[in-house]
Amino acid sequence: GYELNLIWRSILNIFGFLGNGRVIHLLGFHIEKNPFTTCILNLSIDDFGVFTALLRGISSGLSIELFISTHAISLYLLTAISVEKCLSVVFPIWYRCHRLEHLSEIVCALIWAISILVFGIYHFLISTESADFDIVICVVHMINSVFCTLVVVICTVILFIKVCCSLHRRQRGKFYTALLLALLFFLIFGVPLSVIITLQYLLADINIITALFGVVSAVINSSVNPFIYFLIGRKTTHRPREPLKVVLERVFSDKADCREDQSLPATTDSMMMTP
């Protein structure tokens, strides 16, 4: 009862708030921005929001709605990150020449705007007890659990193949590894909640244990990313108390990633300039 609830809240505070809060602070104010740090910053803000929604438990309707909405946003953000990284490695020339300067900011803003709009519709339909509520929510979560998940799976496979193929030529940057792990953990722990919610509206026969499994999995997913960044970015030969800022810079400002993504375009440019 009370002791389990206290342990649960302690885990939320330590792993959810502190981990994501520290990443938000460093990426927002102390680390140089690039297209991927912008998306990762938004992802950390959203993961922080997941724990904020759970701060008073999931017994109230509004907390449940906020929790489900923030969880969905994390899926959209990871989908955007994985698609952009795939484009940068599969079509490097096109990516370098045609990518909009502020594409990451635009995409993240659209994700938040659309998600807030959907949340408003979601809450309105619940409050008015509209007959269209089940249909709208079922469609939204089917998109989350089927379309977005399929895109993430495809991008994960492509990035994994790229990493494996590059091992014979040069060492990949740390961001590839961190992103692959984040995507893998999301497929394991993040996707089940969307699937369970979809099945609930389709079958209306989801027991409390299954629902609890989905919630716990989503909480694990929202707390694991800061640890992935730390484990991938740290140097085992360094002193154990290496500043987290240095660790994150090593992951998100990794030179190997930049060289790999720009090597082909740079070579092509030099060939075009040669008479």
Side-chain angles (χ1 to χ4, degrees), residues 75-95:
L75 173 56
Y76 304 148
L77 288 170
L78 274 171
T79 302
I81 295 170
S82 59
V83 168
E84 181 159 4
K85 193 59 180 176
C86 277
L87 289 176
S88 72
V89 299
V90 177
F91 306 105
I93 298 177
W94 179 91
Y95 181 81

Side-chain angles (χ1 to χ4, degrees), residues 87-97 162 169-170 172 176 256-272:
L87 289 176
S88 72
V89 299
V90 177
F91 306 105
I93 298 177
W94 179 91
Y95 181 81
R96 184 182 181 188
C97 298
K162 281 287 183 179
R169 302 194 308 271
R170 69 182 71 182
R172 276 286 184 181
Y176 280 93
D257 283 330
C258 298
R259 288 196 302 269
E260 182 72 19
D261 291 343
Q262 296 180 3
S263 59
L264 183 55
T267 303
T268 304
D269 292 343
S270 64
M271 292 175 61
M272 293 175 62

Side-chain angles (χ1 to χ4, degrees), residues 34-241:
N34 64 50
F36 298 106
T37 57
T38 299
C39 292
I40 295 297
L41 172 61
N42 280 267
L43 180 62
S44 297
I45 292 173
D46 178 70
D47 286 338
F48 191 88
V50 169
F51 290 98
T52 302
L54 291 177
L55 188 60
R56 295 185 177 180
I58 56 173
S59 56
S60 65
L62 184 59
S63 295
I64 295 175
E65 295 165 29
L66 285 172
F67 174 73
I68 294 175
S69 298
T70 50
H71 173 74
I73 292 173
S74 67
L75 173 56
Y76 304 148
L77 288 170
L78 274 171
T79 302
I81 295 170
S82 59
V83 168
E84 181 159 4
K85 193 59 180 176
C86 277
L87 289 176
S88 72
V89 299
V90 177
F91 306 105
I93 298 177
W94 179 91
Y95 181 81
R96 184 182 181 188
C97 298
H98 298 284
R99 183 188 182 278
L100 296 176
E101 182 179 357
H102 299 289
L103 180 62
S104 296
E105 291 85 348
I106 294 172
V107 170
C108 290
L110 286 175
I111 288 174
W112 283 102
I114 294 173
S115 300
I116 291 173
L117 176 62
V118 171
F119 171 76
I121 296 174
Y122 183 94
H123 184 68
F124 173 77
L125 292 176
I126 290 179
S127 61
T128 57
E129 298 182 354
S130 172
D132 297 327
F133 167 74
D134 287 347
I135 298 176
V136 172
I137 300 306
C138 185
V139 169
V140 170
H141 287 289
M142 283 188 69
I143 293 174
N144 294 350
S145 59
V146 178
F147 176 75
C148 291
T149 302
L150 181 61
V151 173
V152 171
V153 169
I154 293 173
C155 292
T156 303
V157 172
I158 292 174
L159 290 174
F160 180 77
I161 293 174
K162 281 287 183 179
V163 170
C164 291
C165 292
S166 69
L167 291 178
H168 301 289
R169 302 194 308 271
R170 69 182 71 182
Q171 184 178 4
R172 276 286 184 181
K174 294 181 180 297
F175 181 70
Y176 280 93
T177 306
L179 178 58
L180 279 173
L181 285 175
L183 293 175
L184 179 61
F185 272 93
F186 183 81
L187 291 174
I188 296 174
F189 295 106
V191 171
L193 180 61
S194 294
V195 175
I196 289 171
I197 294 174
T198 303
L199 292 176
Q200 179 181 356
Y201 286 103
L202 290 175
L203 305 178
D205 190 27
I206 300 299
N207 58 50
I208 187 64
I209 301 300
T210 304
L212 183 61
F213 170 77
V215 172
V216 172
S217 296
V219 170
I220 294 174
N221 174 74
S222 294
S223 61
V224 74
N225 286 337
F227 293 93
I228 292 176
Y229 308 149
F230 173 75
L231 292 175
I232 298 301
R234 71 189 181 96
K235 283 188 175 181
T236 55
T237 56
H238 258 265
R239 59 184 184 278
R241 294 186 179 181

